[in-house]
Structure formats: structure tokens, C-alpha cells
Amino acid sequence: MSLPDIDLYYWDGTGYTSFNAPIQTMTISRGRSRQLNRYESGSMTITFFNADRKLDPLNTASAYYGLVVPRLEFLVEADSIPIFTGVVTDWDLEYDISGQDTAIAFCSDAMTILSNFVFTTETSFDAGTPKKRFEDVLSHFGYTGATDLSVGNSFLGPDVVQPDVQCADYLFRAATSDGGNFFISADGKVTFVGRYGNPTFTVELAFADDGTGVGYSSLKNQYGDELLYNEVYTASPGGSSFLQNTTSVSTFGLSVLSYDNLLNLLESDLDALSEYFLKLYGDPIVRFTGLQIELAGLSTADQADVLNLDLADFVTVKRSFGVGSPSSVTQDLIVTGIQHSIRPGSHVVEFTFEPTSSEDYLLLDSSTNGILNTDVLGI
């Protein structure tokens, strides 16, 4: 089976134009590496063959002279599907004594731009949905890039932002107040997805190891106390909420998750947010946290399905077992990390997942959801 065609384009001021330089390797990393962390700025590193000095900024004879500069905007597509959009932050030129020079472009997505926006004066915002708050903040800074913003599930109160606050930091605060996801999409849009989806839970792709879904080469899982929070406290100018899983506290000891700087107007929204976090993290859960796929082993249709997945998309992952009971476990998951590793003859995609709820997961010490074979895990 053939690999997807990788096409690289640059923004010429009016549209995207092909960037015709031979690529040696390409790596892309987007999302977050740990649950409850904020989404990081997406990054891309491209190593070009540069024996002809086409990408040497000192070569005035190159057709690309004047293009090899910081903030050049790149779009990468795999079989016409966007997988990264961002700007070059740094060029490294490596001159080889044998003439096999390389040029390396280090790129970041628009989160870097938002992080460079800083409030310079006290700025007031009216009450409204998370979508409205995102629109108002982006408008304040004159941001003209594309957006994809869901309404969200909470109502944010009026707020006055103090000078020296970063735009990205404030938008993450707004997103956390909804329990939602704020990131830059593969095609470069500033994206906010509320905590229950955009707008509903729709499974985009099923992964499976038994032929009933897209196959994968490896699957990671995690179980431990690093994501055990059996007491949740949320607070904003609108009030506060405190919830506790008393059974979990008595079994595993107290572990507190606290968000005390939220923007919610209504205490009922804080209650819903606390309940959401307690449901996810109140008990230790055996979680599928990531999988890896070599696209060379997939059909063209399956490759397209994998490449079309973006952050905050919902998927299912099935793992089958040769012994024990149950014979398989399927989890509903949300994509929170995507990595591409591309080189001649290989295109590996790795996904990082987080749970959508605690239902139907393996729960340690549970007599119903804790059974992997004949024993209850955790006892």
C-alpha cells in the first residue's frame, strides 16, 4: 500500500503556493501530553536536503531568496488533508563538508501568536457564553485568523482583565471555566470545543485490533493515582462548588482538584463542572491513553480517516484478549494529542487519548467494572 503524498505550501500574501524543496524528515506534535494540562503550541520540524543551496538565505541566486525568513507561514497536507498550519520561528542551516547541506525549519502554530498578545490596559468584558468571550478577546487584539468556536456549556460573568495578562492565558481560563478544549486546529483555526463536544458526542472513528475498526500497531494504557481526584473544588465570583466521592476517599485517601479562579457567573455551572471532573477522576481507572499507527499498513480510505482526525474528536478503541473475561474492552475517548513522524517509506501517526466519562471503564476494586480475568483488579 502506498503512503499519503505530503505537500508543503507557503503563504505568499494572497494564497498558498507550493514550496518545492526536497524533504528529508518531518515531525509534527500537537495537543497536550498530560490530562488537566493546557494545550501546548503545536510544533513542526522539517529537515530539507539543501545541497543546491535553494534554502540558503545567503544564496541570492536562489528562486527562494527572500523567503527563507522567520514567520513564513506553512501549510502541510497529506493527500490534500491539512495536518499542520503554522509559521517558521527559526531556520538552521547545516553546511556539510561533502556538500550534503541541510536546512531545518522549526515551526509553531498560531498559539504562539496568541501568547504574544498581552493586555496593556484594564479591559472589560460583558457576561456571555465562552464563544462570545473568545470572540470579544480576539476582536480586542485585532486577530483576523480563522476560528471554529462552539457555544460551550457554561455562562461566564462580566470581567475586568488587568494589564500584563497574556491573551492565550486568559482564553485558557475561559476554556477551563467550561471544562472545554482550546487549541489550534490542523488547518490553523483558533478552536474551542465545549466539554460535551461540538455540539454533541459523535464518534469520528473506531480503532480495533480484531478487524472491526482501523487497526493499530501498539496501544498504551495507564492506571494509577496520578489522575485520582476524589474531591473537587471550583470557585468564581459567582460562587463555589464542593463535591466529594466519599467511597473513593475512604478507599484511596483524599486527593483534591481545585480550580479557584474561574469566570463562571452561575453557581449551578460550577456544580456541573465539579460533577464532570469528579466523574472523570473520582476513581482510579484503567485508561487507554494512546496508540500508534504506521499508515503504510492501511488502505487509502483508512489513511484518510486517520488523517482527518483532529484534537477533541471522539473515537472508540477496542482491545481484544486471548484469555480471560471479558474477551474485549472498548473505551470511548477524546483525542488530545497527535504526532506525525514522516520520512521516506514511513509515516507514523501517534494519538494521545483522554476519557469522555468513567462509564464502561475498568475501575480498580470494582466488582462489576474491575474484572479483567477472574480477579478484580486492585484488590
Side-chain angles (χ1 to χ4, degrees):
M1 299 178 185
S2 61
L3 285 167
D5 292 327
I6 301 298
D7 295 304
L8 180 63
Y9 303 92
Y10 72 95
W11 183 258
D12 65 7
T14 58
Y16 284 109
T17 301
S18 292
F19 194 84
N20 296 314
I23 296 173
Q24 186 179 62
T25 62
M26 176 186 294
T27 58
I28 295 170
S29 180
R30 302 175 51 240
R32 60 188 178 195
S33 57
R34 188 181 184 278
Q35 295 182 42
L36 298 176
N37 284 4
R38 55 191 274 176
Y39 284 85
E40 300 168 3
S41 178
S43 64
M44 176 175 68
T45 302
I46 310 176
T47 301
F48 299 93
F49 291 106
N50 198 35
D52 59 2
R53 297 186 63 207
K54 187 175 186 177
L55 301 182
D56 188 339
L58 300 177
N59 180 16
T60 59
S62 170
Y64 282 174
Y65 181 72
L67 280 180
V68 186
V69 293
R71 291 300 175 99
L72 178 69
E73 182 177 328
F74 276 144
L75 164 66
V76 182
E77 293 185 342
D79 278 354
S80 301
I81 300 169
I83 59 174
F84 184 84
T85 306
V87 298
V88 178
T89 58
D90 190 34
W91 288 94
D92 278 3
L93 280 295
E94 296 185 359
Y95 299 111
D96 185 83
I97 193 67
S98 65
Q100 298 303 307
D101 297 352
T102 58
I104 306 173
F106 298 93
C107 310
S108 295
D109 65 19
M111 192 67 75
T112 296
I113 296 174
L114 298 182
S115 296
N116 287 332
F117 292 155
V118 178
F119 289 93
T120 57
T121 60
E122 284 193 353
T123 305
S124 300
F125 293 106
D126 295 332
T129 63
K131 178 180 180 179
K132 183 179 186 303
R133 186 62 50 89
F134 268 75
E135 291 173 338
D136 289 347
V137 171
L138 294 175
S139 176
H140 172 79
F141 287 102
Y143 185 77
T144 58
T147 62
D148 183 7
L149 307 172
S150 67
V151 174
N153 303 275
S154 300
F155 198 76
L156 307 185
D159 192 36
V160 178
V161 185
Q162 298 302 310
D164 298 325
V165 173
Q166 278 189 347
C167 170
D169 288 344
Y170 186 75
L171 291 178
F172 275 113
R173 185 181 171 199
T176 302
S177 300
D178 189 74
N181 298 269
F182 161 43
F183 57 90
I184 307 300
S185 65
D187 58 357
K189 295 185 179 73
V190 175
T191 304
F192 169 72
V193 180
R195 68 178 177 267
Y196 297 124
N198 184 15
T200 58
F201 186 103
T202 301
V203 174
E204 301 293 339
L205 190 59
F207 294 100
D209 59 355
D210 62 356
T212 60
V214 175
Y216 51 86
S217 55
S218 64
L219 176 66
K220 298 178 182 178
N221 66 51
Q222 176 189 54
Y223 62 98
D225 64 1
E226 61 270 26
L227 287 174
L228 171 62
Y229 295 103
N230 43 34
E231 181 176 291
V232 179
Y233 174 73
T234 57
S236 73
S240 63
S241 174
F242 172 85
L243 291 178
Q244 186 182 85
N245 182 330
T246 54
T247 301
S248 176
V249 171
S250 64
T251 303
F252 303 106
L254 180 66
S255 183
V256 181
L257 178 64
S258 177
Y259 290 106
D260 58 2
N261 190 33
L262 301 178
L263 299 171
N264 306 74
L265 178 65
L266 305 176
E267 194 167 72
S268 59
D269 282 345
L270 293 173
D271 289 336
L273 194 61
S274 295
E275 183 179 0
Y276 170 73
F277 285 125
L278 195 64
K279 185 177 182 182
L280 283 177
Y281 306 117
D283 283 295
I285 298 173
V286 180
R287 311 168 189 266
F288 295 161
T289 57
L291 59 77
Q292 189 176 88
I293 302 170
E294 169 57 75
L295 294 187
L298 301 182
S299 67
T300 301
D302 284 348
Q303 288 178 0
D305 287 340
V306 170
L307 292 168
N308 272 307
L309 282 180
D310 207 342
L311 301 174
D313 280 345
F314 293 100
V315 301
T316 61
V317 177
K318 182 178 183 180
R319 173 70 169 99
S320 303
F321 303 96
V323 296
S325 178
S327 59
S328 67
V329 173
T330 301
Q331 295 188 359
D332 297 324
L333 304 166
I334 182 172
V335 177
T336 53
I338 303 174
Q339 292 79 41
H340 295 263
S341 179
I342 303 168
R343 61 187 64 249
S346 176
H347 186 156
V348 175
V349 182
E350 185 171 353
F351 293 102
T352 302
F353 302 125
E354 296 177 14
T356 57
S357 76
S358 61
E359 297 175 358
D360 300 323
Y361 284 71
L362 289 172
L363 304 184
L364 299 183
D365 296 303
S366 169
S367 60
T368 55
N369 290 339
I371 300 174
L372 182 59
N373 42 47
T374 58
D375 299 317
V376 177
L377 294 179
I379 292 179

